[in-house]
């Protein structure tokens, strides 16, 4: 991903009257009732022409649920565990992000043109917004869900460092927005539940971040089974080791460090931030936790989904 123009720049050029277009932190735009990053909302029109191929695999998540982790695992599987091959390009090129669009960057649809079958694709879109072709072609989908409290904390830090998002305000402000679904991609509660429902009628492997943390080898075996492929034990162990948080944090092709600071500022918060379960305990106050739990119980009433908040 090469930035052809200044991205996220809010400055005025020194000594010039010319104003550089302010592309950073635009307000969210609503599409079919879902708030989205402005540029991603603009990408949805062209995305409706997306044609899925039957051997595509779609990685779907609510943001901050371990998308990059599953993406790296899948590319490693596809490359037979060859780490060098996985270093061929940054993760967002190897696994195109369908609805991605931002000034100065190739869109997800443009990145797709350079990818040959079998393709790995990524989305965070709620079901109402995914291209119909993915469903018609019965494309295999791998969904990863993560507990709402850790997602909220991770998303807050991500909003701060990734400047395509509006300003998150204080943690208390952001948590309120998260609970009401006034954050990019809308409510977490609906997302995790509707994809769960889809898994009953469509080939969706529904995974949990917490399970992957607990026993990555077991979860990668589930992925292999779902894809109908097998790998030698040694290769599997190598994938587990190479996709650990520690390894991915120092891998420039996985950690988003190649992206310009105007777009993602790792000095504010690293993309590979903590990679743990239960970090929410360091951020939620007792009052916030009580309020969140009461609201959660209402939103998730009747759901079969059980999330672990610590390991
Ligand atoms: P934290 O902010 O809690 O650290 P996504 O890729 O969906 O944007 O999710 C990002 C979150 O997944 C971040 O969470 C990041 O640190 C975590 N993550 C990325 N790679 C990981 C890995 N290999 N193991 C555990 N967590 C990982």
């Amino acid at each position: 991903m090469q930035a052809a123009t200044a991205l996220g720049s809010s400055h005025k050029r020194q000594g010039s009257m010319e104003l550089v277009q302010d592309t950073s932190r635009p307000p969210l735009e609503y599409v079919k009732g879902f708030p989205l990053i402005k540029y991603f909302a603009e990408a949805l029109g062209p995305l409706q022409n997306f044609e899925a191929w039957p051997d595509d695999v779609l990685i779907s998540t609510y943001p901050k649920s371990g998308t990059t982790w599953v993406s790296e695992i899948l590319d490693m599987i596809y490359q037979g565990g060859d780490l060098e091959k996985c270093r061929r390009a940054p993760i967002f090129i190897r696994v195109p992000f369908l609805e991605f669009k931002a000034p100065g960057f190739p869109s997800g649809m443009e990145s797709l043109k350079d990818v040959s079958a079998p393709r790995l694709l990524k989305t965070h879109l709620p079901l109402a917004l995914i291209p119909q072709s993915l469903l018609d072609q019965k494309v295999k989908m791998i969904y990863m869900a993560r507990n709402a409290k850790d997602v909220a904390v991770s998303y807050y830090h991500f909003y701060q460092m990734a400047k395509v998002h509006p300003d998150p305000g204080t943690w208390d402000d952001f948590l309120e927005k998260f609970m009401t679904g006034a954050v990019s991609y809308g409510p977490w509660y609906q997302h995790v539940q509707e994809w769960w429902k889809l898994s009953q009628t469509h080939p969706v492997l529904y995974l949990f971040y917490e399970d992957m943390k607990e026993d990555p080898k077991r979860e990668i075996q589930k992925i292999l089974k779902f894809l109908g492929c097998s790998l030698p034990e040694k290769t599997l162990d190598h994938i587990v080791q190479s996709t650990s948080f520690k390894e991915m944090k120092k891998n420039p092709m996985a950690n988003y460090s190649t992206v310009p600071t105007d777009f993602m500022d790792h000095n504010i918060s690293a993309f590979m931030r903590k990679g743990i379960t239960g970090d929410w305990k360091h951020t939620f106050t007792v009052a916030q936790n009580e309020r969140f739990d009461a609201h959660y119980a209402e939103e998730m009433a009747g759901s079969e989904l059980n999330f672990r908040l610590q390991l």
Side-chain angles (χ1 to χ4, degrees), residues 243-308:
T243 57
S244 69
F245 180 75
K246 199 167 140 247
E247 290 303 315
M248 282 182 60
K249 189 173 171 68
K250 62 186 185 203
N251 176 357
M253 294 299 136
N255 66 14
Y256 282 89
S257 61
T258 58
V259 167
T261 315
D262 273 357
F263 191 61
M264 283 188 183
D265 191 343
H266 296 263
N267 295 320
I268 295 175
S269 177
F271 183 91
M272 294 289 167
R273 197 181 58 91
K274 285 195 179 173
I276 57 170
T277 292
D279 186 41
W280 62 272
K281 288 183 189 168
H282 304 118
T283 308
F284 278 67
T285 63
V286 172
Q288 285 168 344
N289 197 35
E290 282 172 4
R291 200 158 47 87
F292 193 92
D293 284 347
H295 177 256
Y296 187 95
E298 281 172 25
E299 294 287 333
M300 298 297 280
S303 169
E304 296 166 5
L305 289 168
N306 280 314
F307 286 87
R308 288 190 287 169

Side-chain angles (χ1 to χ4, degrees), residues 135 138-142 198-205 226:
L135 298 167
K138 303 253 178 304
V139 164
K140 284 188 181 170
M141 301 175 177
I142 300 183
L198 183 71
S199 72
Q200 280 137 33
T201 55
H202 188 96
V204 178
L205 176 67
F226 178 70

Side-chain angles (χ1 to χ4, degrees), residues 61 63-69 124 146 154 209 213 243-245 248 271-275:
T61 58
K64 311 321 289 172
S65 302
T67 333
T68 317
W69 193 8
H124 294 311
R146 185 184 193 186
S154 181
Y209 178 96
K213 274 301 298 180
T243 57
S244 69
F245 180 75
M248 282 182 60
F271 183 91
M272 294 289 167
R273 197 181 58 91
K274 285 195 179 173

Side-chain angles (χ1 to χ4, degrees), residues 18-238:
E18 187 190 351
L19 283 177
V20 173
Q21 191 193 2
D22 185 353
T23 53
S24 85
R25 302 207 177 281
L28 299 177
E29 278 187 13
Y30 281 75
V31 181
K32 291 194 190 164
F34 291 94
L36 292 175
I37 288 168
K38 174 182 181 289
Y39 308 114
F40 297 8
E42 291 165 5
L44 291 191
L47 190 59
Q48 294 320 304
N49 301 323
F50 167 78
E51 284 179 22
W53 299 341
D55 59 354
D56 285 342
V57 168
L58 179 72
I59 298 160
S60 168
T61 58
Y62 189 83
K64 311 321 289 172
S65 302
T67 333
T68 317
W69 193 8
V70 187
S71 301
E72 190 67 26
I73 289 170
L74 275 158
D75 190 42
M76 281 215 80
I77 291 174
Y78 273 37
Q79 302 306 325
D82 187 332
L83 195 53
E84 284 320 302
K85 285 190 185 159
C86 294
R87 301 243 165 146
R88 69 193 181 283
I91 191 66
F92 44 82
I93 298 293
R94 288 180 281 141
V95 181
F97 182 8
L98 289 182
E99 67 270 22
F100 180 81
K101 183 174 174 280
F105 291 87
S107 68
M109 285 288 273
E110 284 161 354
S111 303
L112 266 178
K113 289 184 193 139
D114 301 326
V115 180
S116 49
R119 303 183 299 188
L120 292 169
L121 313 167
K122 158 185 162 181
T123 190
H124 294 311
L125 289 171
L127 278 181
L129 300 178
I130 66 166
Q132 181 62 31
S133 174
L134 289 162
L135 298 167
D136 294 344
Q137 292 290 337
K138 303 253 178 304
V139 164
K140 284 188 181 170
M141 301 175 177
I142 300 183
Y143 187 85
M144 183 176 260
R146 185 184 193 186
N147 81 74
K149 291 182 186 176
D150 281 329
V151 168
V153 173
S154 181
Y155 214 176
Y156 175 61
H157 290 282
F158 189 56
Y159 251 66
Q160 289 178 313
M161 68 87 76
K163 296 171 192 169
V164 282
H165 298 98
D167 191 323
T170 64
W171 160 243
D172 199 53
D173 293 341
F174 184 80
L175 186 60
E176 200 59 43
K177 287 186 208 134
F178 182 87
M179 287 165 62
T180 56
V183 290
S184 183
Y185 293 103
W188 174 92
Y189 313 90
Q190 183 181 343
H191 206 282
V192 295
Q193 292 188 77
E194 68 181 21
W195 282 85
W196 175 251
K197 206 167 157 221
L198 183 71
S199 72
Q200 280 137 33
T201 55
H202 188 96
V204 178
L205 176 67
Y206 200 102
L207 300 173
F208 294 90
Y209 178 96
E210 294 75 22
D211 292 348
M212 188 66 88
K213 274 301 298 180
E214 182 180 67
D215 190 343
K217 190 167 173 175
R218 178 191 64 206
E219 298 305 302
I220 296 173
Q221 275 164 334
K222 283 187 198 165
I223 295 176
L224 290 170
K225 189 165 171 233
F226 178 70
L227 297 176
C229 52
S230 63
L231 286 173
E233 180 95 9
K234 210 170 130 228
T235 309
L236 180 56
D237 289 336
H238 175 60

